[in-house]
Amino acid sequence: MCQHNPRCPDADSPDRDQAQLVAQAVSQGWGVRCNGLLIFDDTGALLPDGQIIAPHRPLPTLAGAA
């Protein structure tokens, strides 16, 4: 899919999020990278083969919690 030079990382590689964004629906919270990765605002993703990548943003911490 990727036509960039150098080529963007494949969707199954660890650095897949570095691929160029080719489509985005900001109001709906999703985007598509040139490697076919469908990304969501909650940091989850869907690989081209249908595998799900769970959201992976850090959980907020409470200030002063012991």
Side-chain angles (χ1 to χ4, degrees):
M1 290 177 154
C2 179
Q3 302 297 316
H4 299 109
N5 191 10
R7 223 177 121 90
C8 291
D10 291 330
D12 57 353
S13 68
D15 58 346
R16 63 182 146 250
D17 290 330
Q18 301 304 311
Q20 296 287 322
L21 193 62
V22 294
Q24 187 174 20
V26 176
S27 64
Q28 296 176 358
W30 61 268
V32 178
R33 299 199 179 274
C34 70
N35 57 6
L37 185 68
L38 180 61
I39 58 171
F40 299 98
D41 283 354
D42 70 352
T43 70
L46 187 61
L47 295 172
D49 65 2
Q51 290 183 22
I52 297 169
I53 299 173
H56 49 277
R57 65 179 160 190
L59 295 174
T61 57
L62 296 175

